[in-house]
Amino acid sequence: MVNFAFKLMLRDLRSGDILTLLMALIISVSTVTTISLFIDRLQLSFEQESANLLAADRLIRSDEEIPKNWQFKAKEMSLKQAKRTSFGTMIFSGDALQLSQLSAVTDTYPLKGAYLVDDTLFARGQPSKQPPKKGEVWLSSRLASLLNVRIGDQVEVGESQLTVAKYLVRDPGSSSSAFAISPRAVMNIKDLPSTKVIIPGSRVRYSLLLAGEPSDLENFESWVVPELNEGQRWRTPVEKGERIGDTIVKAESFLLLAGILAVVMSGIAMALASTRFVKRHLVQVAVLKTLGATPKVLIKVFSIQFVILFFIGALLGLFVGWGGQGVISSLLSGLMSTSLPEPSVGRLWLGIVTGLISMVAFCMPMMLRLIKISPMSVLQPSRKIEKNSLAVYSIGFIGIYGLMCIYTKGFLLPSIMTLAMLAIGILVSIVGWLVFKLGRSLTSGATSGWQIGFASLYRRLLPNLFQLLVFTLIIMLGLVLVGVKSSLVSEWQDQLPVDAPNHYLFNVQKDQIEQINASTENLRVLRSDWYPMVRGRVISVNGKSIQTLYPEGKGEPELYERELNLTWSHSLGKGNKLLSGDFSADGLSIEQRVAKAANLSLGDTLTLNIGGNIVSLPITSVRSVDWSSMQPNFYLILPKRVLDGYSANFVSSLFISNTNAQPFYKSMSQHPTVSILNVGDILKQIQTIIGQLSEAIQLVLLCILIAGALVLIASVRSTLEERLEEGALLRVLGAKKALIQQSLVVEFGALGLFSGLIAAAGAEACVYALQVFIFKSQASWHPLLWALGPLIGISIITAIGLFASRIVLKVPPMHLLRDF
Amino acid sequence: MAIRTAIKVSNLTHTVTANTGDLTILKGINIEIKEGESVAIVGSSGSGKSTLLGLLAGLDVNTSGEIVLYGQAFSNLDEEKRAIIRGEYVGFIFQSFHLLPSLQAIENVMLPAELKGDKDARKKAELLLDKVGLSHRLTHYPNQLSGGEQQRVAIARAFASSPKILFADEPTGNLDELNGKIIIKQLFELNKSQGTTLIMVTHDNELAKKCDRHMVMSEGSLVEK
């Protein structure tokens, strides 16, 4: 039987039907493979970049010492480890002393990324993978200036003397605490015991940094996370809510979406190919039945053929997919600053499963239908195949939906996509029916291309509605990607313009402002407004003390757990948006995320301890804050009258270009008490990642659009035979070539126009839903989609339609008639 | 030795559901056809000839009555079992030939034997194509053959499984007179040499007269002339 099935398939191969199915399968497997492998490589690359910001692949942060057995376990799981112990302490040099943020690290620190250190004060720094040696300390330029020490001098940390070996420009693991007020220092952890600075009750943050294979990290994560207590946190490089995390999560969602669309398109391609296969095999199966082929035999024959087809298709698809992602990556390598990590073979399963589900969901039901055909149809051709296509397509849809869920590891995105497609399906059916009917009645008769075109649209109503749906879906999918891409990229670009502030100045006294303003103006440096900053702590909410509300600090929201920087302002700052209440009212303005975390709303009263004075104020407005705007931002803004009496420090952010960095640092050395925080390197990394993402997204989009065009061609080809027959018939009846050409232009043009218009509407709705529910960004209107939709529809579908049916105009009608 | 009954039909009725309600196509038909006989069924279009032929060959299931083919009743069998019987006893020739367009002439003829797992399929097919005068056309595809040639391939295919009963549905309906004559000659020759029972639906009275028995189908009833 295998032999017979194989022989039959080989013979079928000549007719091109099996080839169409094979091509659809190869397109299906290779598109999904290309995209999933490429996305995988990108994700790995983002993780590596963000791991540089964390100094590790994963990190455990703890308020108490990390249990030894965790370290043993990590070692057992072959993970690389480093430890960092951070705490605030006084550093002395002769008479000078300064409260500093000191980190003691092991020799293995950092596991990812590098320190930036320099031998010159306030310089830009050179990368160093090694931490300070035993007996050495690295001080930030500001700390060295405050202590008045230079390289080679000794400083005292607790009971130890350490030698200043470098000026610290950036600590790779410190980005998350960019607003730490105290200047930084780093020492080797081996010196920590002799300093005796850590005593019971000291506020110390212990970190265990880990790096290794993703699977080992996952194993360790699932082992350690249940062990974590209240004061311990498991951190990954990409975390929601963080600036870079948000960007990457959005990009990943986009790429995932692109992947889903690839899956949907593969499904459409398979559905089209199998419909064509069934159509062309109706007579074959009926004849085989009259020759004595039993349903069992036919099931065996087709199953064997499909299995063989699946293996060949999946193998070739994987091969093409692997090559495809290689081509994309090498195209991209010129644009990306870092080389992409190698793709993991483990991701190939997705392509294989896509192929398998497409085969099972689309080909199997079709095959079963085919086998059910009555052998009587060879005698009575009017007895066609049983009409259960809705059920058959639903199996396909369920298969595709399942595939999307597997792919996204969730239901939300696939559900939005499926609902949108269903809505589009209904819309297409109604609009299509109305338009075709109207078109037909407006152009009755059969003497012009318009009339013939509309007549054939109406005559083949069902196949044309199906084709309209396919065109609409593909154009819509493309437009959704264009819409999401353009809004994401512009959002990112808005987020981080080239001249986004890259330095913060704080601890500035009122009398220093004028001088600093003068020097920044001299250097033509862009600077934000000055914001006064007063420290204060929330001590009670609506009359209930924080201790009563959160005994022992359990579950305490961030707003209450530490001293806050408070400010006043007459107007909403850049990146702030009023969500509710009145900003000018005599009360507190609170940032929405912290308000939500602390379960606060308008009207709640907070009592603050500001420099020993107790102040109670109601919340009178809630703001959203764009934390990625790199502007000084505050959780709480108070009325000016409340903070007026306190001596405030001022904060501002500014953009220092490479050319004016040196003179700027030099001018700032006159103000050693002013803290300068350089976030330029972090910003640069973020901008690099965003740049990579935008390029990657464009390439993935291109990939999807090419796949879409292939599906369009397949779709046109699926109705080609009828068109050929009709064209030939018209020629026989004396129609001129121009008339047939015109009727084809009308037919495809109308299909293109309507699918483009409906697709634009669907894409707008889809992009809106995606922006609101998935990307959590602001919804916006996309005129581009409304222009692109009909334009692409008319031009591409007419072009593809005419190209695919050019044979109608060229081949002599006799030849065509003999073929049928 | 007594001649065996090839097909026995008792009180055969067939009704289909149409838009306007149920439509009875065959009304209580009774026939008995002996092995080796040739039977022509004539009648106007829509009289139910093809439906009867399909039911006799087990391509469809009748509404009521009984059809027994070589001692086996069709009525209670499912498609699987009917197909097995067809493979064993039945051969077919169609008005529109129904050759598989993707297969060469020889491959079309090999098909029934291959389905049975016959290892000599090619040899048999070559022989049969030689008999219908197409040994020079073995590797041609259907669209490279004329209508007459296609029908000769179909005849060769019908005999390839050495059927006991051959059903022919208007075998010359799509052919010109000359080709029609060639086909009929070859069909009857093969039929005779293989001892096959032939049941043929036709419009052609001349052709009908060549058969041993001549029946007329009219408004769902069958009358022997």
Side-chain angles (χ1 to χ4, degrees):
Chain A
M1 188 53 71
V2 176
N3 202 10
F4 175 64
F6 190 63
K7 265 205 270 182
L8 206 62
M9 194 173 99
L10 275 186
R11 291 168 191 168
D12 244 1
L13 209 57
R14 296 188 293 238
S15 74
D17 297 329
I18 289 266
L19 211 61
T20 313
L21 208 57
L22 189 66
M23 280 304 290
L25 185 64
I26 293 174
I27 290 174
S28 165
V29 176
S30 60
T31 318
V32 174
T33 305
T34 303
I35 289 175
S36 67
L37 283 180
F38 181 58
I39 290 173
D40 186 42
R41 292 180 77 174
L42 278 177
Q43 273 173 339
L44 284 174
S45 153
F46 301 151
E47 274 191 28
Q48 278 181 12
E49 295 253 352
S50 356
N52 292 344
L53 296 177
L54 193 67
D57 287 332
R58 302 288 186 274
L59 181 148
I60 298 171
R61 219 171 59 187
S62 171
D63 292 343
E64 45 200 81
E65 225 172 322
I66 306 278
K68 280 266 184 295
N69 66 322
W70 294 9
Q71 297 168 45
F72 292 139
K73 191 77 186 173
K75 197 175 172 192
E76 203 181 294
M77 291 183 170
S78 336
L79 295 174
K80 279 193 256 173
Q81 304 179 40
K83 287 205 291 180
R84 184 178 65 213
T85 306
S86 308
F87 48 92
T89 187
M90 285 301 210
I91 298 183
F92 299 84
S93 164
D95 293 339
L97 72 161
Q98 176 62 42
L99 178 67
S100 319
Q101 188 66 28
L102 184 61
S103 296
V105 297
T106 53
D107 289 332
T108 45
Y109 187 94
L111 294 174
K112 291 287 162 86
Y115 280 109
L116 276 185
V117 289
D118 216 296
D119 294 328
T120 317
L121 274 176
F122 296 108
R124 296 192 58 79
Q126 302 295 322
S128 164
K129 293 289 274 179
Q130 307 296 323
K133 295 189 182 78
K134 189 174 182 304
E136 288 180 359
V137 67
W138 295 347
L139 306 180
S140 66
S141 296
R142 183 161 71 95
L143 183 55
S145 303
L146 289 168
L147 292 172
N148 201 20
V149 290
R150 297 292 175 264
I151 286 178
D153 291 349
Q154 299 267 308
V155 291
E156 282 170 43
V157 178
E159 294 183 14
S160 283
Q161 294 266 340
L162 300 171
T163 309
V164 178
K166 295 274 180 201
Y167 300 120
L168 176 67
V169 180
R170 181 165 65 88
D171 177 345
S174 65
S175 62
S176 56
S177 49
F179 273 102
I181 299 294
S182 314
R184 295 182 164 275
V186 189
M187 61 185 274
N188 197 296
I189 208 163
K190 288 174 193 150
D191 291 321
L192 192 57
S194 57
T195 61
K196 297 186 180 157
V197 285
I198 297 181
I199 49 167
S202 302
R203 278 187 71 123
V204 183
R205 180 168 282 175
Y206 297 91
S207 304
L208 175 65
L209 295 92
L210 302 164
E213 291 299 316
S215 57
D216 294 333
L217 289 165
E218 269 174 40
N219 287 340
F220 185 73
E221 180 181 359
S222 49
W223 178 84
V224 82
V225 167
E227 308 269 316
L228 299 178
N229 65 26
E230 287 274 322
Q232 292 165 332
R233 256 191 85 194
W234 173 261
R235 290 197 43 159
T236 55
V238 180
E239 284 195 4
K240 270 195 170 174
E242 286 183 20
R243 198 177 298 129
I244 192 65
D246 264 354
T247 308
I248 289 179
V249 167
K250 278 182 192 175
E252 284 182 352
S253 300
F254 176 87
L255 293 175
L256 214 55
L257 182 71
I260 287 191
L261 300 193
V263 170
V264 174
M265 260 184 253
S266 312
I268 296 175
M270 286 300 286
L272 286 171
S274 28
T275 311
R276 185 181 148 94
F277 185 83
V278 167
K279 232 196 239 170
R280 304 260 300 195
H281 281 69
L282 285 175
V283 176
Q284 176 175 342
V285 170
V287 170
L288 282 171
K289 281 190 162 186
T290 63
L291 296 176
T294 65
K296 263 188 201 161
V297 167
L298 288 170
I299 287 180
K300 267 190 204 160
V301 167
F302 282 115
S303 302
I304 293 168
Q305 287 190 353
F306 282 167
V307 169
I308 296 172
L309 203 65
F310 173 70
F311 275 109
I312 299 173
L315 213 68
L316 287 176
L318 289 180
F319 188 71
V320 174
W322 187 275
Q325 61 82 27
V327 170
I328 295 184
S329 305
S330 61
L331 280 177
L332 205 60
S333 65
L335 304 165
M336 290 182 107
S337 60
T338 49
S339 61
L340 283 173
E342 279 307 301
S344 55
V345 182
R347 293 289 287 190
L348 289 178
W349 67 268
L350 194 68
I352 299 173
V353 173
T354 304
L356 193 65
I357 292 189
S358 303
M359 286 291 277
V360 173
F362 286 109
C363 294
M364 289 295 170
M366 293 281 186
M367 181 192 85
L368 293 176
R369 265 179 79 200
L370 192 57
I371 286 165
K372 273 193 191 157
I373 189 179
S374 162
M376 207 48 189
S377 57
V378 280
L379 292 177
Q380 295 168 333
S382 56
R383 279 172 67 133
K384 287 280 169 176
I385 199 156
E386 281 173 59
K387 294 224 162 150
N388 58 348
S389 48
L390 195 67
V392 170
Y393 284 114
S394 0
I395 299 176
F397 269 117
I398 292 168
I400 288 293
Y401 179 74
L403 205 57
M404 293 198 282
C405 292
I406 296 175
Y407 190 59
T408 54
K409 295 180 192 140
F411 296 99
L412 187 61
L413 201 56
S415 302
I416 289 181
M417 290 303 298
T418 311
L419 281 178
M421 283 194 279
L422 269 182
I424 289 287
I426 295 167
L427 194 68
V428 163
S429 310
I430 297 170
V431 172
W433 181 76
L434 280 174
V435 167
F436 294 162
K437 201 177 158 83
L438 191 73
R440 175 70 186 127
S441 58
L442 285 180
T443 57
S444 58
T447 48
S448 75
W450 284 98
Q451 289 157 344
I452 297 172
F454 269 104
S456 53
L457 278 177
Y458 186 62
R459 191 174 53 256
R460 282 194 303 265
L461 191 61
L462 270 181
N464 277 328
L465 282 182
F466 179 70
Q467 199 150 47
L468 187 68
L469 181 63
V470 172
F471 291 161
T472 305
L473 279 180
I474 291 171
I475 297 176
M476 188 185 97
L477 299 182
L479 290 181
V480 166
L481 282 190
V482 171
V484 172
K485 188 218 123 193
S486 59
S487 58
L488 266 191
V489 171
S490 67
E491 188 187 318
W492 291 338
Q493 278 162 354
D494 290 350
Q495 228 176 49
L496 284 178
V498 189
D499 55 357
N502 55 4
H503 283 68
Y504 288 96
L505 296 183
F506 43 95
N507 277 352
V508 178
Q509 301 304 311
K510 205 168 185 175
D511 54 357
Q512 293 175 311
I513 289 182
E514 207 172 311
Q515 228 177 332
I516 295 175
N517 279 353
S519 51
T520 52
E521 268 156 38
N522 261 346
L523 292 168
R524 299 192 175 175
V525 164
L526 287 172
R527 184 181 46 72
S528 77
D529 291 337
W530 288 103
Y531 289 85
M533 225 159 66
V534 175
R535 307 278 287 174
R537 197 179 184 110
V538 179
I539 53 168
S540 68
V541 181
N542 294 330
K544 283 187 186 156
S545 77
I546 300 298
Q547 279 95 336
T548 331
L549 288 169
Y550 303 97
E552 294 170 31
K554 271 190 184 166
E556 193 180 16
E558 193 189 352
L559 189 67
Y560 308 144
E561 71 179 6
R562 60 180 172 86
E563 266 203 321
L564 302 171
N565 294 314
L566 309 171
T567 194
W568 73 81
S569 174
H570 293 302
S571 57
L572 279 171
K574 217 175 166 184
N576 283 249
K577 208 172 123 191
L578 186 67
L579 297 179
S580 57
D582 177 9
F583 185 74
S584 57
D586 187 42
L588 283 168
S589 177
I590 189 166
E591 193 270 337
Q592 60 149 346
R593 273 215 302 239
V594 289
K596 202 176 162 197
N599 201 19
L600 293 171
S601 52
L602 284 180
D604 285 331
T605 303
L606 296 185
T607 306
L608 296 123
N609 179 342
I610 307 170
N613 295 324
I614 309 299
V615 185
S616 284
L617 287 164
I619 295 175
T620 48
S621 68
V622 179
R623 288 167 294 127
S624 68
V625 169
D626 179 8
W627 292 102
S628 45
S629 67
M630 310 303 283
Q631 303 288 329
N633 280 314
F634 298 87
Y635 286 163
L636 293 177
I637 300 179
L638 277 66
K640 184 169 186 293
R641 63 158 181 97
V642 178
L643 297 179
D644 238 1
Y646 301 93
S647 71
N649 290 317
F650 285 78
V651 61
S652 179
S653 60
L654 23 80
F655 172 72
I656 311 285
S657 68
N658 280 347
T659 47
N660 55 23
Q662 209 57 38
F664 170 75
Y665 285 132
K666 207 171 167 192
S667 75
M668 289 312 292
S669 61
Q670 295 163 22
H671 310 282
T673 55
V674 171
S675 306
I676 307 169
L677 181 72
N678 178 358
V679 290
D681 296 300
I682 301 169
L683 269 184
K684 217 170 170 182
Q685 256 172 315
I686 296 173
Q687 268 159 344
T688 308
I689 294 174
I690 288 177
Q692 286 175 358
L693 284 176
S694 307
E695 296 297 342
I697 277 175
Q698 264 166 31
L699 275 177
V700 171
L701 181 64
L702 193 70
C703 244
I704 297 277
L705 292 183
I706 290 174
L710 287 176
V711 177
L712 279 184
I713 292 175
S715 160
V716 172
R717 278 191 64 87
S718 69
T719 55
L720 185 61
E721 275 139 34
E722 287 163 49
R723 288 178 209 283
L724 281 172
E725 201 173 4
E726 250 177 45
L729 220 78
L730 282 170
R731 293 298 300 280
V732 172
L733 295 175
K736 283 184 186 158
K737 196 170 155 184
L739 181 78
I740 299 171
Q741 198 162 24
Q742 195 192 355
S743 73
L744 285 173
V745 170
V746 169
E747 200 179 334
F748 286 115
L751 274 174
L753 174 69
F754 297 126
S755 42
L757 278 173
I758 305 171
E764 186 74 76
C766 238
V767 172
Y768 174 84
L770 290 168
Q771 281 181 327
V772 172
F773 298 113
I774 304 288
F775 297 116
K776 313 258 187 235
S777 53
Q778 287 233 307
S780 51
W781 180 251
H782 303 86
L784 180 72
L785 302 185
W786 293 92
L788 271 183
L791 199 72
I792 288 177
I794 294 180
S795 54
I796 294 192
I797 290 175
T798 312
I800 289 179
L802 288 181
F803 174 77
S805 43
R806 67 196 186 286
I807 183 172
V808 178
L809 307 170
K810 280 188 187 161
V811 177
M814 239 342 265
H815 184 87
L816 282 173
L817 285 176
R818 278 193 75 172
D819 257 353
F820 290 96
Chain B
M1 201 174 76
I3 300 171
R4 287 170 74 190
T5 298
I7 293 187
K8 189 173 180 197
V9 178
S10 326
N11 210 15
L12 176 71
T13 304
H14 194 61
T15 308
V16 291
T17 310
N19 292 339
T20 48
D22 284 354
L23 193 69
T24 303
I25 298 175
L26 302 177
K27 300 169 185 165
I29 288 172
N30 294 291
I31 351 163
E32 188 172 344
I33 298 168
K34 298 285 181 195
E35 195 168 42
E37 273 185 333
S38 54
V39 179
I41 301 170
V42 292
S44 54
S45 291
S47 59
K49 305 183 300 285
S50 292
T51 307
L52 176 64
L53 196 73
L55 291 173
L56 293 181
L59 299 184
D60 205 351
V61 186
N62 51 300
T63 317
S64 68
E66 198 175 49
I67 302 166
V68 179
L69 196 131
Y70 280 94
Q72 300 189 62
F74 265 145
S75 320
N76 304 321
L77 300 180
D78 60 13
E79 168 58 21
E80 184 79 22
K81 289 183 181 129
R82 280 188 278 128
I84 292 171
I85 295 176
R86 280 201 300 269
E88 182 127 350
Y89 296 104
V90 174
F92 256 108
I93 298 169
F94 306 104
Q95 180 178 2
S96 42
F97 329 134
H98 285 318
L99 297 179
L100 303 192
S102 57
L103 304 189
Q104 297 166 352
I106 179 97
E107 290 166 344
N108 264 293
V109 180
M110 283 160 68
L111 210 54
E114 281 185 319
L115 265 171
K116 284 184 174 176
D118 191 339
K119 293 219 166 85
D120 290 330
R122 180 166 277 272
K123 227 182 234 172
K124 274 189 186 166
E126 279 173 1
L127 203 69
L128 280 164
L129 280 171
D130 189 40
K131 277 189 186 170
V132 294
L134 287 176
S135 49
H136 60 298
R137 297 285 213 175
L138 298 187
T139 55
H140 284 65
Y141 286 96
N143 64 359
Q144 296 169 319
L145 300 171
S146 72
E149 286 169 330
Q150 287 189 46
Q151 193 62 303
R152 278 146 73 188
V153 175
I155 291 175
R157 181 177 70 182
F159 283 99
S161 57
S162 317
K164 287 194 166 10
I165 307 179
L166 185 65
F167 291 96
D169 180 31
E170 306 266 13
T172 57
N174 276 353
L175 300 174
D176 58 65
E177 203 182 333
L178 180 65
N179 269 306
K181 278 185 177 159
I182 296 170
I183 292 296
I184 292 304
K185 188 170 168 273
Q186 289 180 346
L187 180 61
F188 278 91
E189 273 172 15
L190 273 167
N191 192 43
K192 206 171 174 188
S193 66
Q194 310 233 348
T196 317
T197 309
L198 175 67
I199 299 172
M200 181 165 46
V201 162
T202 181
H203 272 109
D204 185 347
N205 277 320
E206 288 300 308
L207 175 55
K209 279 177 195 162
K210 287 187 191 278
C211 294
D212 301 333
R213 292 167 72 183
H214 187 180
M215 297 181 188
V216 179
M217 188 88 191
S218 175
E219 291 180 1
S221 302
L222 195 64
V223 182
E224 181 141 14
K225 276 203 167 175

